[in-house]
Amino acid sequence: MTSTRKRIVVGVDDSEASRIAVRAACAEAILHHCPLHIVHADPFGEPTHSAAGPLPDVQGYGLVDALTRAREATARIAVTGEVARGFPEPVLIAMSRQAELVVIGHRGLGALARALFDTVGSEVTRRAGCPVLVARAPDLPDGPVVVGVDGSPDSQAAAEFAVVEAGMRGCAVHVMHVWSRPGPHAPGSVLPVDLDAESVQAGAERLLSETMAGWGDAYPDVDIQHSLVHGHPRQVLTEAAASASLLVVGARGRTTPPVPGLGSVSRHLLHHAACSLAVVPRHLPEGS
């Protein structure tokens, strides 16, 4: 995957989730060999920027601490910081158009924290012009990169991202397609009532085979594994995340007709994946 994007962007505040996100962003900047830009969005703040030295007095944003930690952790990577005027969602979405990756922290499942994360996390992952990493773990743990595929354009982009990320990390990538026999009355279903499970499984096997075609030649140094699992994607991928270093999904699945929002599986995993989650769009959303 050849990219023309130039930096990792991480959004920060003064929370522990933000500190985890900064550590994850540092690791990604090193892996991608690109600069790291740390941003705090404040609709009432005074815009400031730091290219190398300390920022002006912006205590309370978590930005000074983030810059200090990042510069200590990434001695060979350029680290810049900024207080941007605006709410976090539009600021990060705008920056995503010129970024390799946007990193945000996960807020957990408390009522208030979840409400805040629903607003920022869902909106940024839905409208970003690059992959968004929702950081849960402070380091890169052992385990494969797991990616869920369903044949949609977004999942194809997610699969490529996962293989490249696994190659940079030096770990295996596990490509999973989860299938089930749809009922004749499922929303959008045009399947005959008598469609048997064997036919559905055969179609799932073809989809996985087509997704994997040519990858061994394109990425000979990456250990590419794959599996076909019967079940519900939410449950299967949530369970797979427990032993993964990273879970990767497309922003939208095969919903018919297409919907503008985040897919239901991706939205579920935002809250329930045990490891860090990367949500990958197929292209820069028009009009975002």
Side-chain angles (χ1 to χ4, degrees):
M1 179 170 58
T2 302
S3 174
T4 59
R5 301 181 187 274
K6 297 182 179 180
R7 63 183 182 177
I8 305 293
V9 173
V10 56
V12 302
D13 53 24
D14 59 355
S15 68
E16 178 58 27
S18 173
R19 286 184 276 276
I20 291 174
V22 170
R23 289 195 288 269
C26 288
E28 292 294 329
I30 292 171
L31 287 174
H32 287 259
H33 302 289
C34 66
L36 174 63
H37 187 65
I38 304 173
V39 59
H40 173 83
D42 185 345
F44 310 108
E46 185 65 29
T48 58
H49 187 275
S50 172
L55 280 168
D57 184 15
V58 289
Q59 298 293 336
Y61 291 145
L63 187 56
V64 172
D65 178 66
L67 277 168
T68 300
R69 291 174 181 270
R71 286 169 176 160
E72 290 174 351
T74 58
R76 298 181 181 180
I77 300 295
V79 180
T80 55
E82 176 182 0
V83 175
R85 178 172 291 172
F87 289 98
E89 304 96 299
V91 166
L92 292 174
I93 290 166
M95 290 187 175
S96 75
R97 298 188 180 108
Q98 298 299 323
E100 180 85 14
L101 181 72
V102 168
V103 183
I104 59 176
H106 187 272
R107 294 293 181 173
L109 293 176
L112 178 59
R114 178 165 181 161
L116 291 171
F117 181 68
D118 274 341
T119 301
V120 178
S122 295
E123 188 70 4
V124 173
T125 52
R126 181 177 73 87
R127 297 181 57 204
C130 71
V132 177
L133 176 65
V134 182
R136 279 185 179 268
D139 300 304
L140 295 177
D142 294 333
V145 173
V146 174
V147 55
V149 299
D150 62 6
S152 66
D154 281 34
S155 86
Q156 293 284 355
E160 185 178 12
F161 175 89
V163 174
V164 173
E165 187 77 11
M168 290 187 294
R169 294 178 179 221
C171 67
V173 60
H174 185 181
V175 185
M176 300 184 71
H177 175 55
V178 185
W179 72 279
S180 61
R181 181 183 177 184
H185 302 298
S189 175
V190 294
L191 297 171
V193 175
D194 61 348
L195 186 66
D196 60 276
E198 288 77 10
S199 296
V200 178
Q201 182 174 358
E205 290 172 349
R206 286 194 300 273
L207 184 152
L208 184 58
S209 177
E210 290 169 0
T211 299
M212 301 281 296
W215 282 15
D217 293 333
Y219 304 99
D221 298 328
V222 181
D223 180 10
I224 304 175
Q225 306 167 2
H226 63 277
S227 62
L228 189 67
V229 183
H230 182 267
H232 193 286
R234 296 182 198 175
Q235 179 181 354
V236 172
L237 293 176
T238 299
E239 292 172 355
S243 58
S245 61
L246 176 67
L247 179 63
V248 184
V249 292
R252 300 170 183 85
R254 294 183 297 174
T255 304
T256 304
V259 295
L262 199 64
S264 61
V265 174
S266 302
R267 189 166 58 249
H268 173 84
L269 294 171
L270 276 177
H271 296 291
H272 298 285
C275 65
S276 295
L277 173 73
V279 180
V280 183
R282 61 176 175 255
H283 54 66
L284 178 65
E286 295 180 5
S288 296

